[in-house]
Amino acid sequence: MPAKARTTGRATATNATAQAREDILNARAISTLGAGVVSAMSAVGAAVIKKNKAALDKNPDWFWHMFAKCEAKAARIAEQAARDPQGCGDATFIEAYAGQLPKLMMAALESRDKALKAK
């Protein structure tokens, strides 16, 4: 047990590295979520992917990279919202995540389209 006690205070294996990376979800944070929250995240992610199938087909590498970044950012925003004293924990997390992921992905797609048209 002493080894576990030493690591429980750390949110990530390397906080600086994880904070610098925008495209990864913290595995430790995900493991603390309930099964319903993870299931809801999967459903929202699947809906966003299905809605943007044309963009996925055009450039899969870019799409998956941006999806991972948007997913991680939405999870961070949702985590902050869930910590609000007025929030309801998992329900607030799901609501914030479901609201943010589609918006972030649409913004990324619009930004890419503008950049491609500017060329």
Side-chain angles (χ1 to χ4, degrees):
M1 286 293 190
K4 188 172 186 174
R6 279 195 306 257
T7 60
T8 56
R10 294 170 53 186
T12 61
T14 56
N15 277 334
T17 304
Q19 292 300 324
R21 296 275 316 261
E22 295 179 348
D23 62 340
I24 56 173
L25 291 171
N26 181 341
R28 186 178 190 102
I30 294 293
S31 69
T32 64
L33 298 173
V37 174
V38 174
S39 178
M41 288 174 70
S42 297
V44 170
V48 169
I49 293 165
K50 185 175 181 180
K51 181 178 179 182
N52 299 298
K53 182 90 168 97
L56 171 61
D57 292 340
K58 282 183 189 176
N59 193 340
D61 291 336
W62 177 87
F63 182 88
W64 288 117
H65 173 73
M66 287 309 299
F67 182 80
K69 287 179 76 167
C70 292
E71 187 176 45
K73 186 170 184 175
R76 285 192 297 275
I77 292 168
E79 182 181 358
Q80 290 172 353
R83 290 182 183 171
D84 184 347
Q86 302 299 321
C88 296
D90 286 352
T92 302
F93 183 95
I94 293 167
E95 182 180 1
Y97 183 82
Q100 290 298 314
L101 183 59
K103 289 179 190 176
L104 292 168
M105 198 64 201
M106 287 305 292
L109 290 167
E110 288 172 5
S111 177
R112 183 169 191 272
D113 287 342
K114 285 181 185 178
L116 290 174
K117 287 179 183 177
K119 286 184 177 181

